[in-house]
Amino acid sequence: MSKNSRQFFPDIGPIPFEGPGTKNPLAFQHYNPSELVEGKTMKDHLRFAVVYWHTMRGTGADMFGWGTARRPWNAGEGSVKEAIQRARAMFEFTSKLGAPFYCWHDRDVAPHGKTLAESNSNFDAVAAELKQLQADTGIRLLWGTAQNFVHPRYMHGASTSCNADVFCFAAAQVKKAMEWTHELKGEGYVFWGGREGYSTLLNTNLKREMDNLGRFLHMAVDYKKKIGFKGPFYIEPKPKEPTKHQYDSDAAACLNFLREYGLLEHFKLNIETNHATLAGHTMQHELEVAGAAGALGSIDANMGDVMLGWDTDQFPTDLYLTSQVMLSVLKFGGFTTGGTNFDAKVRRESFDLEDLFLAHIAGMDAFARGLKIAARIRADGRLEGFVKNRYRSWDSGIGARIEAGKASFADCEKHALKLGEVEGLESGRQEYLEALYNEFI
Ligand code: XUL
Ligand code: CO
């Protein structure tokens, strides 16, 4: 912590691990950073990150009402001085919480200037403070990103805008955000589509916009090589909101886009729960699609509300969700550069400073439990064994020949004619498996 940092959370100290059953709301029941699970610490498995945008800039405002949150660092005039104070609040919060990482958009760290040059110098001033705060606290940057959607110039999109000047502003912003991500030793860099989509096809040249998005990302790859940034790029799928259709609509659409434009080797995916549900998928579906393509990079940990059709970004407290996420993450070998980033905001009604801690503790404990549940399911082996056994017809005979690419349609026909009828079909046992899963919750 910088020597001159003021205490933004004077009544709250470092959050301790006290174990299940503690009555202290400002303590972890399950997240014990040094506890080993499958031979690795919880801290290294989960790689928790706090986001700048919701945690520091969230006000609780919605379409129908002003902000409700009481945040001493948001009281002022939107100056660089205030942004530096806010950075200190961010690091005080993240340190006390015990999260090893944080994430930012350029413009939630530092204020927009009147010109690009002024915006750049604002960002330089605050990012220099971030560098100092990282050094003082040991907190690391999980990823950075450019906020290419708030400013009115991005109304028609950023890299997919109908206006080439806007493309250049977006490129300049990403260039700068990549430079600071590199300087701050960020583990990765994220592209979320923001306004990269359309509201009506009546005014949209979809092919031209997607081609320009492809060009934009190639420019980013070139620049990454130029500055020597080694971390991965991530695309964060989301199907809609703010636009009616986003080009990065879900994991499968992103993978197809990256393949079509020759970008797949440079990108992984950053999968967010509430974006998955908006796309009509489960989080686990999106993780499995990304993982199957070798592109599971990182996660934005939150959840939605089935009764609300928008991106509510709630803290993830559902143990089925967190255990399913961790089952998939463990199955694909765990995080390397990625982590569990709380792209989540406290409810409008949870306006106290303390709620920021309570919400993150709830999410971290739910993920720690999810990790322990997933590890127990894996150690038990019945679920994995069931799936393995279900596919055993592919391990030998005609199945093995097909999978080895050594059988033709004619071979399959010959095999089927010989059989008369399929005798080996077995029950899928869904209800049994759901009950089995419940044993571990
Ligand atoms: C928006 C969203 C973003 C990205 C980063 O829905 O999730 O905050 O995570 O730009
Ligand atoms: Co997100």
Side-chain angles (χ1 to χ4, degrees):
M1 203 69 31
S2 286
K3 282 174 209 69
N4 56 349
S5 77
R6 71 181 248 223
Q7 291 250 313
F8 288 92
F9 307 94
D11 302 334
I12 298 175
I15 305 300
F17 168 71
E18 291 185 1
T22 179
K23 299 284 180 283
N24 177 4
L26 290 168
F28 294 113
Q29 305 210 23
H30 297 278
Y31 179 59
N32 181 8
S34 59
E35 186 176 326
L36 293 179
V37 177
E38 297 194 2
K40 191 160 121 184
T41 63
M42 279 195 179
K43 184 179 173 201
D44 290 342
H45 269 293
L46 294 162
R47 292 167 62 87
F48 286 127
V50 177
V51 301
Y52 225 97
W53 49 103
H54 291 310
T55 305
M56 285 296 120
R57 308 310 305 267
T59 62
D62 67 14
M63 277 109 81
F64 301 98
W66 297 333
T68 54
R70 294 173 185 165
R71 303 283 182 262
W73 54 85
N74 279 344
E77 65 286 358
S79 64
V80 168
K81 200 167 139 234
E82 183 190 48
I84 286 174
Q85 285 304 314
R86 187 182 297 117
R88 292 172 186 163
M90 175 68 174
F91 278 76
E92 184 186 337
F93 176 77
T94 309
S95 303
K96 285 182 170 173
L97 187 65
F101 292 100
Y102 77 117
C103 297
W104 47 247
H105 297 94
D106 49 0
R107 299 291 183 264
D108 43 58
V109 164
H112 293 256
K114 286 195 192 65
T115 61
L116 179 63
E118 196 180 309
S119 294
N120 283 346
S121 83
N122 289 350
F123 189 35
D124 286 340
V126 188
E129 177 71 12
L130 295 179
K131 192 174 175 183
Q132 186 60 49
L133 288 162
Q134 285 186 202
D136 292 348
T137 58
I139 292 165
R140 287 146 70 199
L141 178 64
L142 188 66
W143 48 261
T145 188
Q147 189 206 61
N148 285 354
F149 43 90
V150 165
H151 195 281
R153 78 170 72 88
Y154 297 123
M155 67 173 79
H156 301 300
S159 68
T160 63
S161 176
C162 49
N163 184 308
D165 294 342
V166 173
F167 182 104
C168 294
F169 266 85
Q173 234 182 287
V174 168
K175 175 176 175 290
K176 186 80 179 164
M178 277 172 63
E179 287 163 8
W180 268 113
T181 300
H182 185 39
E183 178 68 23
L184 296 175
K185 300 197 165 41
E187 303 266 308
Y189 184 89
V190 162
F191 292 84
W192 167 56
R195 295 184 189 274
E196 313 292 34
Y198 60 79
S199 291
T200 172
L201 284 169
L202 291 174
N203 64 14
T204 301
N205 184 335
L206 179 141
K207 167 137 177 63
R208 204 163 187 178
E209 293 198 1
M210 291 189 59
D211 286 351
N212 284 340
L213 176 57
R215 280 188 192 97
F216 189 90
L217 297 178
H218 271 291
M219 288 181 187
V221 169
D222 291 345
Y223 195 62
K224 170 180 159 163
K225 287 182 188 153
K226 189 166 175 211
I227 61 176
F229 177 59
K230 297 279 184 289
F233 281 162
Y234 305 115
I235 290 212
E236 184 177 321
K238 185 175 182 180
K240 57 189 167 190
E241 199 199 274
T243 66
K244 155 170 141 166
H245 174 79
Q246 306 264 140
Y247 296 130
D248 306 329
S249 55
D250 65 4
C254 287
L255 291 168
N256 181 59
F257 175 88
L258 293 169
R259 249 182 229 114
E260 186 174 344
Y261 289 91
L263 288 157
L264 195 51
E265 65 177 299
H266 305 291
F267 283 81
K268 290 185 168 174
L269 301 183
N270 179 43
I271 304 289
E272 176 167 330
T273 316
N274 208 167
H275 296 178
T277 48
L278 286 178
H281 303 308
T282 61
M283 177 66 166
Q284 202 179 16
H285 166 89
E286 290 291 84
L287 294 171
E288 292 285 317
V289 170
L296 175 51
S298 200
I299 63 170
D300 270 12
N302 62 18
M303 64 183 194
D305 184 320
V306 286
M307 306 305 275
L308 298 172
W310 63 89
D311 198 10
T312 56
D313 284 338
Q314 289 164 236
F315 276 84
T317 52
D318 179 339
L319 296 180
Y320 285 92
L321 168 69
T322 59
S323 56
Q324 286 167 0
V325 168
M326 292 319 296
L327 258 184
S328 291
V329 168
L330 292 176
K331 174 167 133 187
F332 293 110
F335 294 123
T336 52
T337 51
T340 307
N341 171 51
F342 289 109
D343 191 357
K345 60 187 179 206
V346 287
R347 297 305 84 195
R348 176 176 166 75
E349 302 86 347
S350 306
F351 53 80
D352 282 338
L353 281 178
E354 189 172 323
D355 287 307
L356 286 177
F357 280 94
L358 297 174
H360 281 85
I361 291 167
M364 289 163 80
D365 264 346
F367 260 90
R369 273 183 87 176
L371 170 64
K372 289 192 282 188
I373 291 166
R376 285 207 309 273
I377 290 173
R378 280 157 61 87
D380 171 82
R382 275 177 290 166
L383 195 58
E384 200 185 330
F386 184 92
V387 177
K388 188 169 183 320
N389 185 51
R390 190 164 179 245
Y391 290 87
R392 69 188 182 280
S393 69
W394 296 94
D395 295 337
S396 61
I398 186 70
R401 290 214 306 286
I402 294 168
E403 285 197 346
K406 289 187 183 139
S408 65
F409 261 11
D411 296 324
C412 292
E413 182 186 49
K414 204 168 133 206
H415 181 79
L417 284 170
K418 208 169 55 195
L419 287 177
E421 190 43 84
V422 176
E423 302 291 353
L425 289 179
E426 290 166 357
S427 166
R429 298 266 193 269
Q430 180 172 335
E431 299 79 0
Y432 158 73
L433 293 170
E434 285 168 357
L436 174 66
Y437 200 101
N438 282 347
E439 280 183 35
F440 297 90
I441 293 290

